[in-house]
Amino acid sequence: MNKTNFNLLLPIILLFNSSPTAHSKSVIEPCNSSDSCPSLLSYNLPFDSKLSEIAYKFNLNITHILSSNSLDPSTPPSQIIPSKTLIKIPISCPCIDGIRRSLSTFYTVGPSDTVDSISEGYGRLVSGEQIESVNGVSEERPLMSGERILIELPCTCFGNENDEGVSAVYLSYVVQIGDSLSGIGGVYSTTVGELQEINGLEQAHVDPGDVLAIPIPACSSTNLNWYNESLIVPNGSYALTASNCIKCTCGPFDLNLANSSHPQCSGNNSGAVGSPLSLPSPTGDEVVPFSILSPSPSPFASYGPEGTDGPNPTRRQSGNTHRHQGWLTIQTSFLAFFLLVFAPSVFF
């Protein structure tokens, strides 16, 4: 990220959410394109929750939560995660009306819900004031049981790189009681100065409820010459692709993508549709050939503008691929027939 250009944004990216009891701060990112980027939320569980409940709350597939938190892919949906656990929630961060924000999460109001209880249920990633503003809730128009409301969630992209130009995915983190910038920086391997610069903080001070954008170093597939998809995987996590048959892992000790195949996929063709591809193995292990023509949708896949499939749309390629495979089959069959009929007379 160019520091000079980034500093020009600081006067306009600081947002203050006022309430009678606190002034929480968060950073917003201006944008002028229709693309999306991968982003993360740091979700502090307010109560014990099953994995399936967390996935439902954020409208996600359970595998995306498992991969973002480097949990075993075989972890059952009924697994209970204790309260106060920090869970990384992967989301796509689009540009909407000139700013980066996520508007893809909805919540159905229960009989005893209030805007504050809903805010608490989402780990204060959204404030009660935001819920009221986005959904037109007021004293004259209170929440109604059974009503489906929009939950606006914070996210940032900043070009998916940090101020040193290293690939990064940005995490939206809600400051907790007792937190400090130095402590947060220590946990996420960044500095107080970088956190101040990214979040437009003049002083090294934060308050509980503030939402910080934190750069998480990431592995990128941009230099691997993949067929039609670019993955960016945060350090300490993994992504599943090739119909969930290939596990691409980042870190925790380096920023090179390591790949492995799932045992349940060996011997089948679930990952062999389209042009075959081999990922380089940084550890010297066996390279696993596979194709990502029909990958499992991942929040960490980088796509082009909304309404497109990126630089090489997969759907438009599939017809030519199957025709090419059919022609190869005909050629192979003809060659086998020729050898069977004519080879004996030629060689004997």
Side-chain angles (χ1 to χ4, degrees), residues 38-194:
S39 186
L40 289 169
L41 302 172
S42 180
Y43 179 45
N44 192 348
L45 283 179
F47 31 73
D48 296 354
S49 303
K50 295 179 181 179
L51 274 173
S52 57
E53 294 171 337
I54 300 172
Y56 181 80
K57 179 180 287 289
F58 290 94
N59 191 31
L60 288 173
N61 190 302
I62 289 177
T63 59
H64 295 156
I65 296 178
L66 295 177
S67 61
S68 297
N69 295 276
S70 203
L71 298 174
D72 192 309
S74 63
T75 304
S78 58
Q79 178 69 46
I80 296 177
I81 310 298
S83 63
K84 305 305 179 184
T85 300
L86 285 178
I87 297 291
K88 295 175 183 175
I89 304 294
I91 61 170
S92 180
C93 185
C95 179
I96 301 175
D97 296 332
I99 62 173
R100 296 283 182 188
R101 52 183 170 163
S102 174
L103 299 180
S104 59
T105 302
F106 291 86
Y107 177 81
T108 301
V109 178
S112 59
D113 277 336
T114 64
V115 292
D116 187 67
S117 68
I118 296 171
S119 170
E120 180 185 12
Y122 280 92
R124 303 296 181 185
L125 286 162
V126 59
S127 68
E129 290 77 15
Q130 286 176 303
I131 294 174
E132 289 177 336
S133 175
V134 170
N135 295 279
V137 176
S138 62
E139 291 184 2
E140 293 74 24
R141 188 198 171 281
L143 287 174
M144 301 293 293
S145 179
E147 179 183 3
R148 192 166 181 257
I149 62 173
L150 174 64
I151 303 297
E152 181 178 338
L153 296 170
C155 65
T156 51
C157 296
F158 295 126
N160 276 135
E161 61 181 32
N162 61 19
D163 62 352
E164 296 178 349
V166 176
S167 294
V169 171
Y170 280 81
L171 172 82
S172 295
Y173 175 83
V174 181
V175 176
Q176 306 296 311
I177 295 175
D179 277 350
S180 66
L181 280 185
S182 59
I184 295 170
V187 170
Y188 292 102
S189 301
T190 186
T191 65
V192 171
E194 185 174 27

Side-chain angles (χ1 to χ4, degrees), residues 318-336:
S318 59
N320 292 333
T321 301
H322 290 303
R323 282 196 292 272
H324 180 64
Q325 291 174 334
W327 177 239
L328 287 178
T329 302
I330 294 173
Q331 289 177 316
T332 304
S333 300
F334 179 78
L335 178 60

